[in-house]
């Protein structure tokens, strides 16, 4: 294929990187350091015309393509096949403050969206790590702090510009292409190369309540019971998450706690910080915190406060299960798993599925109406020699969670095979997605994603 690459370079304006080129190794590096693939070429496209050209080239030479946005997806779909359409150079956010909308290019990361929208006192639900890519998160759903008020990222998606498998440029919305829009809201990257997203924005800030409370792992039953009661009270501004983790050497963590397994609660409150401080008081009454780092902060600070625990290049294996509730035996299993974790970088994240997600209009996103809590084991380590122990830990804790009535999965957080995708979507949703896939990508060009077959 070396000779053919000359033709590809003549086809596009963007940079074409092959294994022989300087910069190729950096370009193929993903967030998950376990993904070690060497595609024949990575094309850093300069715009829509380049994407059309790469797809035409791939058709002519019978090559598989994949699409890279932020490169954060744990499954590594961004480096599938022979040619990578790398959108990372397309990073722009245009805010219409009067209309409360933003047009976001597909290579943008969420921190850039937050910075641009908060300049106008506005925001759109993103994830919980600021360097996550907008494209992958949105197409797979997009759950984060603001979901408590405003649903998923995809629930706030107004329009999409994408390039189809046959090279057409389509602008889809609920009026022009309602079935395609339904599928793009949670159905993954199965239907084309998205070039831009138009989001609905919402007022937020200037300050929210963020930070962290730390507890002994043994306090988990009382603290998580208090958290579940607070969530059940139906406060739209309450957007919490719980994390079993190894206490980091942060300035707010006492020295004698650093390096110990703890339960951390992020009791995020999106409204008036003083009102939020009163609402979360039961968390202080449930058990005495080891530390209290809860304080008012700008929303972008809340969005980035967990970034240090999610560094690129480490080895990752994750799973994600929705469960009906936090029953005592599940909490006991999570306590045991937290203590047994072989890597101090690993975490067990527990977060509620907000009513704003459960009551949003129907879309391809699965699991809106099943379990009310997401339990997300995050195995993270550095040394490849530690693979067996850490992979076994994720497998064992996942099996333990599944004993408690799992109802679904959040596919953005998984390395899901086709059977897992089909199960997570459910029969009716999967069949409907197949119909959309057959209409827009009958040749299954876009198969490197949470895959739906045509």
């Amino acid at each position: 294929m070396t000779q053919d690459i000359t033709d590809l370079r003549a086809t596009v304006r963007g940079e074409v990187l092959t294994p022989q080129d300087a910069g190729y190794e950096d370009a193929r590096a993903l967030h998950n350091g376990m993904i070690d693939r060497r595609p024949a070429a990575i094309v850093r496209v300069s715009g829509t015309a380049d994407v059309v050209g790469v797809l035409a080239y791939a058709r002519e030479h019978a090559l598989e393509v994949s699409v890279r946005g932020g490169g954060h997806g744990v499954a590594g779909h961004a480096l599938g096949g022979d040619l990578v359409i790398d959108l990372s150079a397309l990073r722009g956010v245009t805010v219409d403050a009067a209309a409360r909308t933003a047009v976001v290019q597909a290579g943008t990361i969420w921190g850039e969206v937050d910075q641009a929208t908060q300049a106008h006192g506005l925001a759109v639900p993103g994830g919980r790590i600021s360097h996550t890519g907008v494209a992958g998160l949105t197409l797979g759903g997009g759950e984060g702090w603001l979901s408590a008020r405003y649903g998923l990222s995809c629930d706030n998606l107004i329009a999409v510009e994408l390039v189809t498998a046959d090279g057409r440029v389509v602008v889809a919305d609920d009026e022009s292409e309602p079935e395609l829009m339904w599928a793009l809201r949670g159905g993954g990257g199965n239907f084309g190369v998205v070039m831009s997203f138009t989001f609905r924005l919402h007022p937020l800030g200037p300050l929210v309540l963020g930070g962290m409370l730390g507890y002994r792992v043994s306090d988990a039953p009382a603290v998580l019971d208090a958290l579940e009661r607070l969530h059940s009270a139906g406060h739209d501004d309450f957007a919490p998450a719980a994390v079993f983790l190894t206490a980091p050497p942060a300035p707010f963590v006492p020295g004698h706690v650093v390096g110990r397994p703890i339960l951390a609660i992020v009791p995020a409150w999106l409204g008036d910080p003083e009102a939020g401080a009163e609402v979360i008081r039961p968390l202080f009454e449930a058990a005495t915190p080891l530390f209290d780092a809860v304080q008012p902060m700008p929303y972008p600070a809340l969005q980035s406060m967990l970034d240090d625990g999610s560094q690129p290049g480490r080895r990752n294996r994750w799973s994600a299960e929705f469960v009906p509730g936090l029953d005592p035996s599940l909490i006991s299993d999570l306590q045991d798993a937290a203590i047994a974790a072989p890597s101090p970088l690993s975490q067990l994240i527990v977060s509620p599925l907000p009513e704003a997600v459960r009551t949003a209009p129907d879309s391809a996103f699965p699991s809106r109406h099943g379990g009310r809590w997401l339990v997300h084991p995050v195995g993270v380590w550095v040394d490849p020699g530690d693979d067996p122990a850490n992979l076994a830990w994720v497998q064992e804790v996942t099996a333990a969670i599944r004993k408690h009535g799992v109802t679904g999965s959040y596919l953005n957080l998984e390395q899901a095979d086709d059977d897992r995708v089909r199960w997570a979507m459910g029969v009716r949703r999967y069949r409907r997605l197949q119909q959309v896939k057959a209409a827009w990508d009958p040749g299954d060009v876009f198969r490197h994603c949470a895959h739906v077959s045509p």
Side-chain angles (χ1 to χ4, degrees):
M1 187 175 169
T2 305
Q3 181 62 44
D4 293 341
I5 291 297
T6 303
D7 299 334
L8 178 58
R9 287 192 166 107
T11 301
V12 300
R13 294 179 59 193
E15 186 178 18
V16 178
L17 296 168
T18 70
Q20 293 75 39
D21 293 320
Y24 175 85
E25 292 300 321
D26 288 340
R28 75 180 186 94
L30 299 181
H31 181 83
N32 185 359
M34 293 192 77
I35 308 301
D36 185 18
R37 299 177 188 146
R38 303 182 67 82
I42 300 170
V43 186
R44 286 180 171 156
V45 295
S46 64
T48 302
D50 277 1
V51 174
V52 173
V54 173
L55 291 172
Y57 182 88
R59 287 195 302 273
E60 179 183 353
H61 295 275
L63 301 172
E64 287 189 16
V65 299
S66 61
V67 184
R68 175 179 179 139
H72 203 275
V74 69
H77 296 309
L79 288 188
D82 306 300
L83 296 180
V84 176
I85 297 173
D86 184 342
L87 303 169
S88 61
L90 306 179
R91 296 169 76 156
V93 183
T94 302
V95 176
D96 184 334
R100 291 185 179 174
T101 61
V103 178
V104 180
Q105 289 186 293
T108 308
I109 61 175
W110 277 107
E112 294 163 340
V113 176
D114 297 332
Q115 182 180 30
T117 56
Q118 276 285 276
H120 303 275
L122 301 169
V124 62
R128 292 185 172 90
I129 302 295
S130 69
H131 48 76
T132 303
V134 169
L137 188 84
T138 301
L139 293 173
E143 193 273 337
W145 305 115
L146 292 190
S147 296
R149 266 196 198 173
Y150 302 122
L152 304 172
S153 304
C154 70
D155 296 334
N156 293 273
L157 190 57
I158 298 172
V160 170
E161 180 185 352
L162 78 163
V163 180
T164 65
D166 57 4
R168 288 176 292 155
V169 181
V170 175
V171 177
D173 56 32
D174 288 332
E175 294 184 1
S176 64
E177 297 292 350
E179 274 298 284
L180 179 57
M181 279 301 294
W182 175 87
L184 289 168
R185 293 184 175 118
N190 282 283
F191 313 104
V193 182
V194 175
M195 303 305 300
S196 69
F197 301 84
T198 302
F199 290 106
R200 180 183 305 107
L201 304 180
H202 305 275
L204 185 74
L207 296 177
V208 299
L209 193 66
M212 185 178 291
L213 296 170
Y215 297 90
R216 297 171 180 84
V217 170
S218 60
D219 291 329
V223 174
L224 291 178
D225 178 68
L227 185 69
E228 191 163 26
R229 290 174 183 273
L230 282 173
H231 173 65
S232 298
H235 300 290
D236 290 343
D237 284 328
F238 188 48
V243 189
F244 290 93
L245 76 164
T246 300
F252 54 83
V253 179
H256 71 280
V257 177
V258 172
R260 291 170 47 188
I262 63 169
L263 171 65
I265 304 292
V266 180
W269 180 266
L270 307 175
D272 176 64
E274 289 188 12
E278 185 61 30
V279 168
I280 68 171
R281 188 175 300 279
L283 294 173
F284 293 86
E285 298 168 350
T288 302
L290 296 167
F291 58 84
D292 172 7
V294 176
Q295 59 184 321
M297 60 180 61
Y299 172 65
L302 173 65
Q303 279 285 75
S304 60
M305 65 172 286
L306 302 180
D307 285 4
D308 285 347
S310 184
Q311 294 297 317
R314 295 168 174 170
R315 303 177 77 75
N316 285 257
R317 177 62 59 89
W318 306 351
S319 68
E321 314 287 338
F322 282 105
V323 297
L326 303 182
D327 64 73
S329 59
L330 171 59
I331 293 173
S332 178
D333 286 341
L334 296 178
Q335 288 174 291
D336 292 343
I339 294 169
S343 169
L345 301 174
S346 293
Q347 303 178 1
L348 289 165
I349 301 173
V350 181
S351 61
L353 186 67
E355 284 301 304
V357 176
R358 297 173 64 84
T359 58
D362 180 52
S363 74
F365 179 76
S367 305
R368 286 188 193 274
H369 308 299
R372 292 179 175 271
W373 290 81
L374 178 68
V375 184
H376 174 31
V378 182
V380 184
W381 64 102
V382 175
D383 188 344
D386 294 333
D387 285 3
N390 286 279
L391 293 173
W393 179 78
V394 175
Q395 184 176 23
E396 289 165 6
V397 68
T398 300
I401 297 165
R402 289 179 179 175
K403 295 186 304 182
H404 299 278
V406 167
T407 63
S409 168
Y410 183 18
L411 294 172
N412 270 355
L413 305 178
E414 287 221 27
Q415 291 105 317
D417 61 18
D418 285 8
D419 288 341
R420 177 74 169 172
V421 173
R422 185 185 294 265
W423 171 82
M425 289 296 182
V427 173
R428 290 184 181 179
R429 180 175 282 102
Y430 190 83
R431 287 177 179 170
R432 187 173 173 184
L433 283 167
Q434 283 187 300
Q435 293 173 351
V436 181
K437 178 78 167 180
W440 292 94
D441 183 20
D444 204 15
V445 171
F446 303 111
R447 70 192 72 160
H448 296 287
C449 55
H451 181 236
V452 173
S453 61

